[in-house]
Amino acid sequence: MKWILVLGLVALSESLITIPLQKIQPLRERLREKDLLKDFLEKSPYNLISKYLGRLQMMEVSYEPLRNYLDLAYMGTISIGTPPQEFKVIFDTGSTDLWVPSIYCYSPACAHHNVFNPLRSSTFQFLGQPLSLSYGTGSMKGFLASDTVKECLSPTSTQASPNPTSQGFTQKHRPLPQVTGLPEVVQEFGLSIQEPGQFMDSVPFDGILGLAYPTLGIRGTTPFFDNLWRQGLVSQGLFAFYLTNEEKNSSVVMFGGVDPAYYKGELNWVPVTRPFFWQFTVSSISMNGAVIGCDSGCHAILDTGTSLVTGPPEPIFNIQRIINARQSYGGEYIMDCEAINTLPDIIITINGVDYPLPASAYIRQERTGICYSNFLATPGNLSREIWILGDVFLRLYFSVFDRENNRIGLAPAA
């Protein structure tokens, strides 16, 4: 049986759709380095968990809670239209819809990003439905459209604006992932006409490509992955992420299967408890055998669009106290960098399997030499025990998002 499984994975990997991802410096770090973060947070308070709460829908406008842009860390490149127009997007398991800026956007933020020009695409279709993606500090407003979408194999953009954060980092370890042909697909997507300047004006990506369940998305539309799956353009109804700390093109998202070269051992499968987000049950969070969070079990969400580990205030503050993290003037938690070498692992137990987070993962040392805790409390008005495991966790564990069987696969990253 084991050989059958291995042969199946090899065969599956031969038909993978693989897209390289670039690690970017999160906006939070960029603002902190310039000593602008405290002022930014005071002027633009945000609700990290807002996208996980209920959403309002009306007949005329579709609303979907959007995310906290401060901590997004990985992006890839797609093209839309004929001939193709290139966009950098976040492949985000915490939201569902695809959207990019349009030439009709009048917000200052759009002047610093690639914008889609419908007049230059022979395959563009205007669908007309108003669109509003809302979150704590404002909303992206626009309209729904349809056009061809594929990944970019080369810089063929017909509308390219310079990206000030692009850098020529050199790959150190793994060879560049093989881009294996995302087929061209006709896809519904949002085009912005208004964007919140405080957020979008400062980020290096142009838009979002969501990979959560369709129930979270714009009513009446088919999300990107579901489109591939329903048309038989992927081998299986799943996708996977391999995320690293390296700056450029060593991380990867793969559609239609998994490549065993990216993980060690066997995948451990975890059932999805709520097919809305990629939500599952965590048994406990512990250190040195003592439970320090999630003591009676809790709900968690696996989210490629969040770089930190977040949870309810009380257990997060308890963890900050245990690891001796001290609150700074900007509300963040600073740590002694020597703690990276002395603090024990924090263990997240999921479906009977322990997933260690070493101190080198839950403490981050920035270019300034200052160290910060990678734990963050969600807003106090959220009483439910919901945790979000972001890139801090996902860089350690290769992750498979299996829509076909409503489960998540986890294994140590290679």
Side-chain angles (χ1 to χ4, degrees):
M1 181 64 70
K2 188 173 182 179
W3 279 108
I4 293 174
L5 175 62
V6 171
L7 290 172
L9 288 175
V10 171
L12 197 56
S13 67
E14 291 177 352
S15 57
L16 283 180
I17 297 167
T18 307
I19 300 175
L21 300 178
Q22 177 184 351
K23 185 176 185 295
I24 58 177
Q25 184 183 25
L27 178 58
R28 180 190 300 274
E29 295 180 13
R30 296 171 60 199
L31 291 172
R32 187 191 295 119
E33 287 181 358
K34 298 176 182 178
D35 201 27
L36 297 174
L37 181 60
K38 184 175 184 292
D39 181 65
F40 181 90
L41 292 176
E42 289 175 349
K43 292 181 178 178
S44 304
Y46 66 93
N47 184 345
L48 179 65
I49 202 72
S50 63
K51 69 169 185 172
Y52 299 111
L53 302 179
R55 60 191 176 97
L56 173 66
Q57 287 203 347
M58 299 174 62
M59 292 298 293
E60 297 83 6
V61 182
S62 293
Y63 292 85
E64 179 189 340
L66 202 57
R67 55 180 3 4
N68 157 36
Y69 284 132
L70 279 174
D71 298 304
L72 297 176
Y74 294 89
M75 66 183 183
T77 305
I78 63 170
S79 67
I80 302 176
T82 308
Q85 301 176 42
E86 183 178 310
F87 299 92
K88 294 180 175 68
V89 296
I90 299 293
F91 286 82
D92 176 24
T93 61
S95 66
T96 296
D97 302 308
L98 167 63
W99 67 268
V100 297
S102 77
I103 59 169
Y104 307 111
C105 180
Y106 53 83
S107 299
C110 293
H112 302 127
H113 292 93
N114 291 356
V115 293
F116 183 77
N117 187 345
L119 303 177
R120 294 188 180 181
S121 175
S122 61
T123 48
F124 175 80
Q125 287 187 306
F126 174 73
L127 301 181
Q129 179 181 344
L131 176 66
S132 179
L133 304 181
S134 60
Y135 56 98
T137 59
S139 64
M140 186 285 285
K141 296 182 180 179
F143 59 92
L144 201 60
S146 174
D147 210 329
T148 58
V149 175
K150 61 188 294 187
E151 97 287 357
C152 279
L153 301 177
S154 60
T156 56
S157 172
T158 62
Q159 172 120 11
S161 58
N163 187 327
T165 64
S166 297
Q167 302 180 56
F169 290 97
T170 302
Q171 185 89 11
K172 293 181 181 179
H173 303 298
R174 181 179 295 276
L176 292 180
Q178 180 71 30
V179 180
T180 52
L182 178 65
E184 187 173 82
V185 60
V186 176
Q187 177 65 46
E188 297 155 315
F189 66 104
L191 284 171
S192 70
I193 58 175
Q194 178 183 329
E195 295 181 6
Q198 281 279 14
F199 281 123
M200 290 302 296
D201 195 33
S202 303
V203 296
F205 56 87
D206 305 307
I208 302 283
L209 193 155
L211 294 169
Y213 279 81
T215 46
L216 181 62
I218 301 170
R219 183 174 48 195
T221 64
T222 301
F224 174 76
F225 179 74
D226 290 75
N227 206 355
L228 295 178
W229 187 15
R230 291 181 185 180
Q231 294 189 42
L233 300 176
V234 290
S235 302
Q236 281 192 339
L238 56 80
F239 53 90
F241 280 85
Y242 173 81
L243 303 180
T244 78
N245 269 319
E246 296 178 18
E247 300 287 351
K248 189 173 183 180
N249 290 343
S250 57
S251 301
V252 64
V253 56
M254 53 192 76
F255 295 97
V258 297
D259 185 344
Y262 285 92
Y263 62 90
K264 297 178 287 188
E266 297 183 356
L267 289 164
N268 295 301
W269 295 101
V270 182
V272 171
T273 56
R274 188 188 182 202
F276 195 61
F277 306 102
W278 290 96
Q279 183 172 318
F280 54 95
T281 300
V282 171
S283 302
S284 65
I285 299 174
S286 61
M287 175 187 280
N288 286 333
V291 175
I292 59 174
C294 195
D295 53 354
S296 300
C298 58
H299 299 290
I301 295 165
L302 204 59
D303 187 358
T304 59
T306 297
S307 65
L308 308 176
V309 172
T310 75
E314 184 175 347
I316 288 291
F317 294 153
N318 183 49
I319 292 174
Q320 306 285 35
R321 178 185 58 80
I322 291 171
I323 64 177
N324 199 28
R326 306 175 305 279
Q327 189 169 14
S328 69
Y329 74 96
E332 296 187 289
Y333 281 78
I334 297 177
M335 300 190 63
D336 182 350
C337 292
E338 285 297 318
I340 295 175
N341 302 314
T342 59
L343 283 174
D345 294 350
I346 290 177
I347 309 296
I348 301 177
T349 303
I350 304 170
N351 205 29
V353 178
D354 290 344
Y355 296 90
L357 285 183
S360 57
Y362 62 78
I363 302 172
R364 69 185 181 278
Q365 185 169 6
E366 299 192 352
R367 301 174 188 179
T368 58
I370 300 175
C371 288
Y372 294 87
S373 167
N374 271 331
F375 290 98
L376 179 67
T378 51
N381 59 358
L382 184 68
S383 59
R384 293 179 293 173
E385 184 89 349
I386 294 180
W387 293 71
I388 303 172
L389 303 184
D391 301 335
V392 169
F393 181 86
L394 290 166
R395 280 192 287 269
L396 296 173
Y397 300 101
F398 179 85
S399 55
V400 182
F401 298 80
D402 187 350
R403 280 283 307 282
E404 195 166 346
N405 297 292
N406 287 326
R407 61 182 184 171
I408 295 168
L410 297 170

